[in-house]
Coordinates of all heavy atoms in Angstrom, one line a residue:
F1 N 0.9 -1.2 0.0 CA 0.0 0.0 0.0 C 0.9 1.2 0.0 O 1.5 1.5 1.0 CB -0.9 0.0 1.2 CG -1.9 1.1 1.3 CD1 -3.0 1.1 0.5 CD2 -1.7 2.1 2.2 CE1 -3.9 2.1 0.5 CE2 -2.6 3.2 2.2 CZ -3.7 3.2 1.4
A2 N 1.0 1.9 -1.1 CA 2.0 2.9 -1.3 C 1.4 4.3 -1.3 O 2.0 5.3 -1.7 CB 2.8 2.7 -2.6
S3 N 0.1 4.5 -0.9 CA -0.6 5.8 -1.0 C 0.2 6.8 -0.1 O 0.7 6.5 0.9 CB -2.0 5.6 -0.5 OG -2.7 6.8 -0.4
R4 N 0.2 8.0 -0.6 CA 0.8 9.1 0.2 C -0.1 9.8 1.0 O 0.2 10.6 2.0 CB 1.5 10.1 -0.8 CG 2.7 9.4 -1.5 CD 3.3 10.5 -2.5 NE 4.3 9.8 -3.3 CZ 5.6 9.6 -2.9 NH1 5.9 9.9 -1.7 NH2 6.4 9.0 -3.7
E5 N -1.4 9.7 0.8 CA -2.5 10.3 1.6 C -3.6 9.3 1.7 O -4.0 8.7 0.8 CB -3.0 11.6 0.9 CG -1.9 12.7 0.8 CD -2.5 13.9 0.2 OE1 -3.7 14.1 0.2 OE2 -1.7 14.7 -0.4
E6 N -4.2 9.3 2.9 CA -5.3 8.3 3.2 C -6.0 8.8 4.4 O -5.4 9.2 5.4 CB -4.7 6.9 3.3 CG -5.8 5.9 3.5 CD -6.6 5.6 2.2 OE1 -6.1 5.8 1.1 OE2 -7.8 5.2 2.4
G7 N -7.3 8.7 4.4 CA -8.1 9.1 5.6 C -8.0 8.1 6.7 O -7.9 8.5 7.9
F8 N -7.9 6.8 6.4 CA -7.9 5.8 7.4 C -7.0 4.6 7.1 O -6.3 4.1 7.9 CB -9.3 5.3 7.8 CG -9.3 4.2 8.8 CD1 -8.8 4.4 10.1 CD2 -9.7 2.9 8.4 CE1 -8.8 3.3 11.0 CE2 -9.6 1.9 9.3 CZ -9.2 2.1 10.6
G9 N -7.0 4.2 5.9 CA -6.2 3.0 5.5 C -7.0 1.7 5.5 O -6.5 0.7 5.9
T10 N -8.3 1.8 5.1 CA -9.2 0.7 5.2 C -8.6 -0.5 4.4 O -8.7 -1.7 4.9 CB -10.6 1.0 4.7 OG1 -11.1 2.1 5.4 CG2 -11.5 -0.1 4.8
V11 N -8.0 -0.3 3.3 CA -7.5 -1.4 2.5 C -6.4 -2.2 3.3 O -6.3 -3.4 3.2 CB -7.0 -0.9 1.1 CG1 -5.7 -0.1 1.3 CG2 -6.8 -2.1 0.2
V12 N -5.7 -1.5 4.1 CA -4.6 -2.2 4.9 C -5.3 -3.1 6.0 O -4.9 -4.2 6.2 CB -3.7 -1.2 5.5 CG1 -2.6 -1.9 6.4 CG2 -3.0 -0.4 4.4
I13 N -6.3 -2.5 6.7 CA -7.1 -3.3 7.7 C -7.7 -4.5 7.0 O -7.7 -5.6 7.6 CB -8.1 -2.4 8.3 CG1 -7.5 -1.3 9.2 CG2 -9.1 -3.2 9.1 CD1 -6.9 -1.8 10.5
E14 N -8.3 -4.3 5.8 CA -8.9 -5.4 5.1 C -7.9 -6.5 4.8 O -8.2 -7.7 4.9 CB -9.6 -4.9 3.8 CG -10.9 -4.1 4.1 CD -11.4 -3.4 2.9 OE1 -10.7 -3.3 1.9 OE2 -12.6 -3.0 3.0
A15 N -6.8 -6.2 4.3 CA -5.7 -7.1 4.0 C -5.3 -7.9 5.3 O -5.2 -9.1 5.2 CB -4.5 -6.5 3.4
M16 N -5.2 -7.2 6.3 CA -4.8 -7.8 7.6 C -5.9 -8.8 8.1 O -5.6 -9.8 8.6 CB -4.5 -6.7 8.7 CG -3.2 -5.9 8.4 SD -3.0 -4.5 9.4 CE -2.7 -5.2 11.0
A17 N -7.1 -8.4 7.9 CA -8.3 -9.2 8.3 C -8.3 -10.6 7.5 O -8.7 -11.6 8.1 CB -9.6 -8.5 8.0
F18 N -7.7 -10.6 6.3 CA -7.6 -11.8 5.6 C -6.3 -12.6 5.8 O -6.0 -13.5 5.1 CB -7.8 -11.5 4.1 CG -9.2 -11.4 3.7 CD1 -9.8 -10.1 3.6 CD2 -10.0 -12.5 3.4 CE1 -11.1 -10.0 3.3 CE2 -11.3 -12.4 3.0 CZ -11.9 -11.1 3.0
G19 N -5.5 -12.1 6.8 CA -4.3 -12.8 7.2 C -3.1 -12.5 6.3 O -2.2 -13.3 6.2
L20 N -3.1 -11.4 5.6 CA -2.0 -11.0 4.8 C -1.1 -10.1 5.5 O -1.5 -9.1 6.1 CB -2.5 -10.3 3.5 CG -3.5 -11.2 2.6 CD1 -4.0 -10.3 1.5 CD2 -2.7 -12.4 2.1
P21 N 0.2 -10.3 5.4 CA 1.2 -9.3 6.0 C 1.1 -8.1 5.0 O 0.8 -8.3 3.9 CB 2.5 -10.0 5.9 CG 2.4 -11.0 4.7 CD 0.9 -11.4 4.8
V22 N 1.3 -7.0 5.6 CA 1.2 -5.8 4.8 C 2.6 -5.0 4.7 O 3.4 -5.1 5.6 CB 0.1 -4.8 5.3 CG1 -1.2 -5.5 5.2 CG2 0.4 -4.4 6.7
V23 N 2.8 -4.3 3.6 CA 3.9 -3.4 3.4 C 3.2 -2.1 3.0 O 2.5 -2.0 2.0 CB 4.9 -3.9 2.3 CG1 6.0 -2.9 2.2 CG2 5.4 -5.2 2.7
A24 N 3.3 -1.1 3.9 CA 2.6 0.1 3.6 C 3.4 1.3 3.9 O 4.3 1.3 4.8 CB 1.3 0.2 4.6
R25 N 3.2 2.4 3.1 CA 3.9 3.6 3.4 C 3.4 4.1 4.8 O 2.3 4.1 5.1 CB 3.5 4.7 2.3 CG 4.3 6.0 2.5 CD 4.0 7.0 1.4 NE 4.1 6.5 0.1 CZ 5.3 6.5 -0.6 NH1 6.4 6.9 0.0 NH2 5.3 6.0 -1.8
R26 N 4.4 4.6 5.6 CA 4.1 5.1 6.9 C 3.3 6.4 6.7 O 3.8 7.4 6.2 CB 5.3 5.4 7.7 CG 5.1 5.9 9.1 CD 6.4 6.2 9.9 NE 7.5 5.3 9.5 CZ 7.8 4.2 10.1 NH1 7.0 3.7 11.1 NH2 8.8 3.4 9.8
L27 N 2.1 6.4 7.3 CA 1.3 7.6 7.2 C 1.0 8.0 8.7 O 0.1 7.3 9.3 CB 0.0 7.4 6.4 CG 0.2 7.1 5.0 CD1 -1.2 6.7 4.3 CD2 0.8 8.2 4.2
P28 N 1.7 8.9 9.3 CA 1.5 9.2 10.7 C 0.1 9.5 11.1 O -0.6 10.3 10.4 CB 2.4 10.4 11.0 CG 3.5 10.2 10.0 CD 2.8 9.7 8.7
G29 N -0.4 8.8 12.1 CA -1.8 9.1 12.5 C -2.8 8.3 11.7 O -4.0 8.3 12.0
V30 N -2.4 7.5 10.7 CA -3.3 6.7 9.9 C -2.9 5.2 10.1 O -3.6 4.6 10.9 CB -3.2 7.1 8.4 CG1 -4.1 6.2 7.5 CG2 -3.5 8.5 8.2
N31 N -1.9 4.7 9.5 CA -1.6 3.3 9.5 C -0.5 2.9 10.6 O -0.4 1.8 10.9 CB -1.3 2.7 8.2 CG -0.1 3.4 7.5 OD1 0.7 4.0 8.2 ND2 0.0 3.2 6.2
D32 N 0.2 3.9 11.1 CA 1.2 3.6 12.0 C 0.6 3.2 13.4 O 1.3 2.7 14.2 CB 2.2 4.8 12.2 CG 1.5 6.0 12.7 OD1 0.3 6.2 12.7 OD2 2.3 6.9 13.2
S33 N -0.7 3.3 13.6 CA -1.3 2.9 14.8 C -1.8 1.4 14.7 O -2.1 0.8 15.7 CB -2.5 3.8 15.1 OG -3.5 3.7 14.2
F34 N -1.8 0.8 13.5 CA -2.2 -0.6 13.5 C -1.3 -1.5 12.7 O -1.5 -2.7 12.7 CB -3.7 -0.7 12.9 CG -4.0 0.0 11.6 CD1 -3.6 -0.6 10.4 CD2 -4.6 1.2 11.6 CE1 -3.9 0.1 9.2 CE2 -4.9 1.9 10.4 CZ -4.6 1.3 9.2
V35 N -0.3 -1.0 12.0 CA 0.7 -1.9 11.5 C 1.9 -1.9 12.4 O 2.5 -0.8 12.6 CB 1.2 -1.4 10.1 CG1 2.3 -2.3 9.5 CG2 0.0 -1.4 9.1
E36 N 2.1 -3.0 13.1 CA 3.2 -3.1 14.0 C 4.5 -3.6 13.3 O 4.5 -4.7 12.7 CB 2.9 -4.0 15.2 CG 3.9 -4.0 16.3 CD 3.5 -4.8 17.5 OE1 2.4 -5.3 17.5 OE2 4.4 -5.0 18.4
Q37 N 5.5 -2.7 13.2 CA 6.7 -2.9 12.4 C 7.3 -4.3 12.7 O 7.6 -4.5 13.9 CB 7.7 -1.8 12.6 CG 8.9 -1.8 11.7 CD 8.6 -1.4 10.3 OE1 7.5 -1.3 9.9 NE2 9.6 -1.3 9.5
G38 N 7.4 -5.1 11.7 CA 8.1 -6.4 11.9 C 7.2 -7.5 12.5 O 7.6 -8.6 12.7
V39 N 6.0 -7.1 12.9 CA 5.1 -8.1 13.6 C 3.9 -8.4 12.7 O 3.7 -9.6 12.4 CB 4.6 -7.5 15.0 CG1 3.6 -8.5 15.6 CG2 5.8 -7.3 15.9
S40 N 3.2 -7.4 12.3 CA 2.0 -7.6 11.3 C 2.3 -7.1 9.9 O 1.5 -7.3 9.0 CB 0.8 -6.9 11.9 OG 1.0 -5.5 12.0
G41 N 3.5 -6.5 9.8 CA 3.9 -6.1 8.4 C 5.0 -5.1 8.5 O 5.7 -5.1 9.6
Y42 N 5.2 -4.3 7.5 CA 6.3 -3.4 7.4 C 5.8 -2.0 7.0 O 4.9 -1.9 6.1 CB 7.4 -3.8 6.4 CG 8.1 -5.0 6.8 CD1 7.9 -6.2 6.1 CD2 9.0 -5.1 7.8 CE1 8.6 -7.4 6.4 CE2 9.7 -6.2 8.2 CZ 9.5 -7.4 7.5 OH 10.1 -8.5 7.8
L43 N 6.3 -1.0 7.6 CA 6.0 0.4 7.2 C 7.3 0.9 6.5 O 8.4 0.7 6.9 CB 5.7 1.3 8.3 CG 4.4 0.9 9.1 CD1 4.2 1.7 10.4 CD2 3.2 1.1 8.2
F44 N 7.1 1.7 5.4 CA 8.3 2.3 4.8 C 8.0 3.8 4.6 O 6.9 4.2 4.6 CB 8.6 1.6 3.4 CG 7.6 1.8 2.4 CD1 7.7 2.8 1.4 CD2 6.4 1.0 2.3 CE1 6.7 3.0 0.4 CE2 5.5 1.2 1.3 CZ 5.6 2.2 0.4
D45 N 9.1 4.5 4.5 CA 9.0 6.0 4.4 C 9.4 6.5 3.0 O 8.8 7.4 2.5 CB 9.9 6.7 5.4 CG 9.5 6.4 6.8 OD1 8.3 6.7 7.2 OD2 10.2 5.8 7.6
R46 N 10.4 5.9 2.4 CA 10.9 6.3 1.1 C 10.6 5.2 0.0 O 10.6 4.0 0.3 CB 12.4 6.5 1.1 CG 12.8 7.6 2.2 CD 14.3 7.7 2.3 NE 14.9 6.4 2.5 CZ 16.1 6.1 2.2 NH1 16.9 6.9 1.6 NH2 16.6 4.9 2.4
D47 N 10.3 5.6 -1.2 CA 10.0 4.7 -2.3 C 11.0 3.6 -2.4 O 10.6 2.4 -2.5 CB 9.9 5.4 -3.6 CG 8.7 6.4 -3.7 OD1 7.8 6.4 -2.8 OD2 8.7 7.1 -4.7
E48 N 12.3 3.9 -2.2 CA 13.3 2.9 -2.4 C 13.3 1.9 -1.2 O 14.0 0.9 -1.3 CB 14.7 3.5 -2.6 CG 15.1 4.5 -1.5 CD 14.7 5.9 -1.7 OE1 13.8 6.2 -2.6 OE2 15.2 6.8 -1.1
D49 N 12.6 2.1 -0.1 CA 12.5 1.2 1.0 C 11.4 0.2 0.9 O 11.2 -0.6 1.8 CB 12.3 2.0 2.3 CG 13.5 2.9 2.6 OD1 14.6 2.6 2.2 OD2 13.3 3.9 3.3
Y50 N 10.7 0.2 -0.2 CA 9.5 -0.7 -0.4 C 9.9 -2.1 -0.8 O 9.4 -3.1 -0.3 CB 8.6 -0.1 -1.5 CG 7.5 -1.0 -1.9 CD1 6.3 -1.2 -1.1 CD2 7.5 -1.7 -3.1 CE1 5.3 -2.0 -1.5 CE2 6.5 -2.5 -3.5 CZ 5.4 -2.7 -2.7 OH 4.4 -3.5 -3.1
A51 N 10.8 -2.2 -1.8 CA 11.2 -3.5 -2.4 C 11.8 -4.5 -1.4 O 11.5 -5.7 -1.5 CB 12.1 -3.3 -3.6
G52 N 12.6 -4.0 -0.5 CA 13.3 -4.9 0.5 C 12.3 -5.8 1.3 O 12.4 -7.0 1.3
P53 N 11.4 -5.1 2.0 CA 10.4 -5.9 2.8 C 9.5 -6.8 1.9 O 9.2 -7.9 2.4 CB 9.5 -4.8 3.5 CG 10.4 -3.6 3.5 CD 11.2 -3.7 2.3
V54 N 9.1 -6.4 0.7 CA 8.3 -7.2 -0.1 C 9.1 -8.5 -0.5 O 8.6 -9.6 -0.4 CB 7.9 -6.5 -1.4 CG1 7.3 -7.4 -2.4 CG2 6.9 -5.4 -1.0
G55 N 10.4 -8.3 -0.9 CA 11.3 -9.4 -1.2 C 11.4 -10.4 0.0 O 11.4 -11.6 -0.2
D56 N 11.6 -9.8 1.2 CA 11.7 -10.7 2.4 C 10.5 -11.5 2.6 O 10.6 -12.7 2.9 CB 11.9 -9.8 3.6 CG 13.3 -9.1 3.7 OD1 14.2 -9.5 2.9 OD2 13.4 -8.2 4.5
L57 N 9.3 -10.9 2.4 CA 8.1 -11.7 2.6 C 7.9 -12.7 1.5 O 7.4 -13.8 1.7 CB 6.9 -10.8 2.6 CG 6.8 -9.9 3.9 CD1 5.7 -8.8 3.7 CD2 6.5 -10.8 5.1
V58 N 8.3 -12.4 0.2 CA 8.2 -13.4 -0.9 C 9.1 -14.6 -0.6 O 8.7 -15.8 -0.8 CB 8.6 -12.7 -2.2 CG1 8.8 -13.8 -3.3 CG2 7.5 -11.7 -2.6
R59 N 10.3 -14.4 0.0 CA 11.2 -15.5 0.2 C 11.0 -16.3 1.5 O 11.4 -17.4 1.6 CB 12.6 -14.9 0.2 CG 13.2 -14.5 -1.1 CD 14.6 -14.0 -1.0 NE 14.8 -12.8 -0.2 CZ 14.6 -11.6 -0.6 NH1 14.3 -11.3 -1.9 NH2 14.8 -10.6 0.2
D60 N 10.3 -15.7 2.4 CA 10.2 -16.3 3.8 C 8.7 -16.6 4.1 O 8.0 -15.8 4.7 CB 10.8 -15.4 4.8 CG 11.0 -16.0 6.2 OD1 10.3 -17.1 6.5 OD2 11.8 -15.5 7.0
E61 N 8.3 -17.8 3.8 CA 6.9 -18.2 4.0 C 6.6 -18.2 5.5 O 5.5 -17.8 5.9 CB 6.6 -19.6 3.5 CG 5.2 -20.1 3.7 CD 4.9 -21.5 3.1 OE1 5.8 -22.1 2.5 OE2 3.8 -21.9 3.4
T62 N 7.5 -18.6 6.4 CA 7.2 -18.7 7.8 C 7.0 -17.3 8.3 O 6.0 -17.0 9.1 CB 8.4 -19.3 8.5 OG1 8.6 -20.6 8.0 CG2 8.2 -19.3 10.0
R63 N 7.8 -16.3 7.9 CA 7.6 -14.9 8.4 C 6.2 -14.4 7.8 O 5.5 -13.7 8.5 CB 8.7 -14.0 7.9 CG 8.5 -12.6 8.3 CD 9.7 -11.7 7.8 NE 10.9 -12.2 8.4 CZ 12.1 -11.7 8.1 NH1 12.2 -10.6 7.4 NH2 13.2 -12.2 8.7
R64 N 6.0 -14.7 6.5 CA 4.7 -14.2 5.9 C 3.5 -14.7 6.7 O 2.6 -14.0 7.0 CB 4.7 -14.8 4.5 CG 4.1 -14.0 3.5 CD 4.2 -14.5 2.0 NE 4.2 -15.9 1.8 CZ 5.2 -16.6 1.3 NH1 6.3 -16.1 1.0 NH2 5.0 -17.9 1.1
R65 N 3.5 -16.0 7.0 CA 2.4 -16.6 7.8 C 2.3 -16.0 9.2 O 1.2 -15.7 9.6 CB 2.5 -18.1 7.8 CG 2.3 -18.7 6.4 CD 2.3 -20.3 6.6 NE 2.1 -20.9 5.3 CZ 0.9 -21.2 4.8 NH1 -0.2 -20.9 5.5 NH2 0.8 -21.8 3.6
A66 N 3.4 -15.8 9.8 CA 3.4 -15.3 11.2 C 2.9 -13.9 11.2 O 2.0 -13.5 12.1 CB 4.8 -15.4 11.8
M67 N 3.3 -13.1 10.3 CA 2.9 -11.7 10.2 C 1.4 -11.6 9.8 O 0.7 -10.8 10.4 CB 3.7 -10.9 9.2 CG 5.1 -10.5 9.7 SD 5.9 -9.5 8.5 CE 7.2 -8.8 9.5
G68 N 1.0 -12.5 8.9 CA -0.4 -12.5 8.5 C -1.3 -12.9 9.7 O -2.3 -12.2 9.9
A69 N -0.9 -13.9 10.5 CA -1.7 -14.3 11.7 C -1.7 -13.2 12.7 O -2.8 -12.9 13.3 CB -1.0 -15.5 12.3
A70 N -0.6 -12.5 12.9 CA -0.6 -11.4 13.9 C -1.5 -10.3 13.5 O -2.2 -9.7 14.3 CB 0.8 -10.8 14.1
G71 N -1.5 -9.9 12.2 CA -2.4 -8.9 11.7 C -3.8 -9.3 11.8 O -4.7 -8.5 12.2
R72 N -4.2 -10.5 11.5 CA -5.5 -11.0 11.6 C -6.0 -10.9 13.0 O -7.1 -10.5 13.3 CB -5.6 -12.4 11.0 CG -7.1 -12.9 11.0 CD -7.1 -14.3 10.3 NE -8.4 -14.9 10.4 CZ -9.4 -14.6 9.7 NH1 -9.4 -13.7 8.8 NH2 -10.6 -15.3 9.9
A73 N -5.2 -11.3 14.0 CA -5.6 -11.3 15.4 C -5.8 -9.9 15.8 O -6.7 -9.6 16.6 CB -4.5 -12.0 16.2
F74 N -4.9 -9.0 15.4 CA -5.1 -7.6 15.8 C -6.4 -7.0 15.3 O -7.1 -6.4 16.0 CB -3.9 -6.7 15.2 CG -4.0 -5.3 15.5 CD1 -3.5 -4.7 16.6 CD2 -4.7 -4.4 14.6 CE1 -3.6 -3.4 16.9 CE2 -4.8 -3.1 14.9 CZ -4.2 -2.6 16.0
V75 N -6.7 -7.2 14.0 CA -8.0 -6.7 13.4 C -9.2 -7.4 14.1 O -10.1 -6.7 14.5 CB -8.0 -7.0 11.9 CG1 -9.4 -6.6 11.3 CG2 -6.9 -6.1 11.2
A76 N -9.1 -8.7 14.4 CA -10.3 -9.3 15.0 C -10.5 -8.8 16.4 O -11.7 -8.6 16.8 CB -10.0 -10.8 15.1
A77 N -9.4 -8.4 17.1 CA -9.6 -7.9 18.5 C -10.1 -6.4 18.5 O -10.7 -6.0 19.5 CB -8.3 -8.0 19.2
R78 N -9.7 -5.6 17.5 CA -10.0 -4.2 17.6 C -11.0 -3.7 16.5 O -11.5 -2.6 16.7 CB -8.7 -3.4 17.4 CG -7.8 -3.7 18.7 CD -6.5 -3.1 18.5 NE -5.6 -3.3 19.6 CZ -5.0 -4.4 19.9 NH1 -5.1 -5.4 19.1 NH2 -4.2 -4.5 20.9
Y79 N -11.2 -4.4 15.5 CA -12.1 -3.9 14.4 C -13.2 -4.8 14.0 O -13.7 -4.8 12.9 CB -11.2 -3.6 13.1 CG -10.3 -2.4 13.4 CD1 -8.9 -2.7 13.7 CD2 -10.7 -1.1 13.3 CE1 -8.1 -1.6 13.9 CE2 -9.8 -0.1 13.5 CZ -8.5 -0.4 13.8 OH -7.6 0.7 14.1
D80 N -13.7 -5.5 15.0 CA -14.9 -6.4 14.8 C -16.0 -5.4 14.4 O -16.2 -4.3 14.9 CB -15.2 -7.1 16.1 CG -16.5 -7.8 16.1 OD1 -16.5 -9.0 15.6 OD2 -17.6 -7.3 16.5
I81 N -16.8 -5.9 13.4 CA -17.9 -5.0 12.9 C -18.9 -4.5 13.9 O -19.4 -3.4 13.8 CB -18.6 -5.7 11.7 CG1 -19.4 -4.7 10.9 CG2 -19.4 -6.9 12.1 CD1 -18.7 -3.5 10.3
K82 N -19.2 -5.3 14.9 CA -20.1 -4.9 16.0 C -19.5 -3.7 16.8 O -20.2 -2.7 17.1 CB -20.4 -6.0 16.9 CG -21.3 -7.1 16.3 CD -21.6 -8.1 17.4 CE -22.6 -9.2 16.8 NZ -22.9 -10.2 17.8
H83 N -18.2 -3.7 17.0 CA -17.6 -2.6 17.8 C -17.5 -1.4 16.9 O -17.7 -0.3 17.4 CB -16.2 -3.1 18.2 CG -16.2 -4.1 19.3 ND1 -15.8 -5.4 19.0 CD2 -16.6 -4.1 20.5 CE1 -15.9 -6.2 20.0 NE2 -16.5 -5.4 21.0
V84 N -17.2 -1.6 15.6 CA -17.1 -0.4 14.7 C -18.5 0.2 14.6 O -18.6 1.4 14.7 CB -16.5 -0.9 13.3 CG1 -16.6 0.2 12.3 CG2 -15.1 -1.4 13.5
A85 N -19.5 -0.6 14.4 CA -20.9 -0.1 14.3 C -21.3 0.7 15.5 O -21.9 1.8 15.5 CB -21.8 -1.2 13.9
A86 N -21.0 0.1 16.7 CA -21.3 0.7 18.0 C -20.6 2.1 18.1 O -21.2 3.1 18.6 CB -20.9 -0.2 19.1
S87 N -19.4 2.2 17.6 CA -18.6 3.4 17.7 C -19.3 4.5 16.8 O -19.4 5.6 17.2 CB -17.2 3.2 17.2 OG -16.5 2.4 18.1
Y88 N -19.7 4.1 15.6 CA -20.4 5.0 14.7 C -21.7 5.5 15.4 O -22.0 6.7 15.3 CB -20.7 4.4 13.4 CG -19.6 4.5 12.4 CD1 -18.9 3.4 12.0 CD2 -19.2 5.7 11.8 CE1 -17.8 3.5 11.1 CE2 -18.2 5.9 10.9 CZ -17.5 4.7 10.5 OH -16.5 4.8 9.6
M89 N -22.4 4.6 15.9 CA -23.7 4.9 16.6 C -23.5 5.9 17.7 O -24.2 6.9 17.9 CB -24.4 3.7 17.1 CG -24.8 2.7 16.1 SD -26.1 3.3 14.9 CE -27.5 3.2 16.0
D90 N -22.4 5.7 18.5 CA -22.1 6.6 19.6 C -21.7 8.0 19.0 O -22.1 9.0 19.6 CB -20.9 6.0 20.4 CG -20.6 6.9 21.6 OD1 -21.5 7.1 22.4 OD2 -19.4 7.3 21.7
V91 N -20.9 8.0 18.0 CA -20.5 9.3 17.4 C -21.7 10.1 17.0 O -21.8 11.4 17.2 CB -19.6 9.1 16.2 CG1 -19.5 10.4 15.3 CG2 -18.2 8.6 16.6
Y92 N -22.8 9.5 16.5 CA -24.0 10.2 16.0 C -25.0 10.3 17.1 O -26.1 10.7 16.8 CB -24.5 9.5 14.7 CG -23.6 9.7 13.5 CD1 -22.8 8.6 13.1 CD2 -23.5 10.9 12.9 CE1 -22.0 8.8 12.0 CE2 -22.7 11.1 11.9 CZ -21.9 10.1 11.4 OH -21.1 10.3 10.3
G93 N -24.7 9.9 18.3 CA -25.6 10.1 19.4 C -26.8 9.1 19.5 O -27.8 9.4 20.2
F94 N -26.6 7.9 18.9 CA -27.7 6.9 19.0 C -27.2 5.9 20.1 O -26.1 5.4 20.1 CB -27.9 6.2 17.7 CG -28.5 7.1 16.6 CD1 -27.7 7.6 15.7 CD2 -29.8 7.3 16.6 CE1 -28.2 8.5 14.7 CE2 -30.4 8.1 15.6 CZ -29.6 8.7 14.7
P95 N -28.2 5.5 21.0 CA -27.8 4.5 22.0 C -27.6 3.2 21.4 O -28.2 2.8 20.4 CB -29.0 4.5 22.9 CG -30.2 5.1 22.1 CD -29.5 6.0 21.1
V96 N -26.7 2.5 21.9 CA -26.3 1.1 21.4 C -27.1 0.1 22.3 O -26.9 0.2 23.5 CB -24.8 0.9 21.4 CG1 -24.5 -0.5 21.0 CG2 -24.1 1.9 20.5
R97 N -27.8 -0.7 21.7 CA -28.5 -1.8 22.5 C -27.6 -2.9 22.8 O -26.8 -3.3 22.0 CB -29.7 -2.3 21.7 CG -30.8 -1.3 21.3 CD -31.9 -2.0 20.6 NE -31.4 -2.8 19.5 CZ -31.9 -2.6 18.2 NH1 -32.9 -1.8 18.0 NH2 -31.4 -3.3 17.3
P98 N -27.7 -3.4 24.1 CA -26.8 -4.5 24.4 C -27.2 -5.8 23.6 O -28.3 -5.9 23.1 CB -27.1 -4.8 25.9 CG -28.3 -4.0 26.2 CD -28.5 -3.0 25.1
D99 N -26.2 -6.6 23.4 CA -26.5 -7.9 22.6 C -27.5 -8.7 23.2 O -27.8 -8.9 24.3 CB -25.2 -8.7 22.5 CG -24.2 -8.0 21.5 OD1 -24.6 -7.2 20.7 OD2 -23.0 -8.4 21.6

C-alpha cells in the first residue's frame, strides 16, 4: 500500500483481516497505529525502502504466515464490525442496544 495520503487506510485493515502481511507507506496518525513494524507487516518511508520488505516476505513463508496471523488477530480484536458499528452509533448520538 503505497498511498501518500489516506483518511484511514481501510485497505490495509482489510488485507490484515484476511491474514495477509502488509507493506505500507508510513502515514503518521493513519496506519502507524495498526501496522506493528516487523510483527504484522512493514512500514516504509521512502519509495526505495519498499522492495526490500516485499522481497523478504516473498522469500520467507514462515515470516509471511506469522505476520499475517498477527495482523488478523489484531484486526479481530479491535475492528470487529459490531464494535465499529457501535462506535459510529455513539458518534452520531444513538444509544447502542446490548447484545
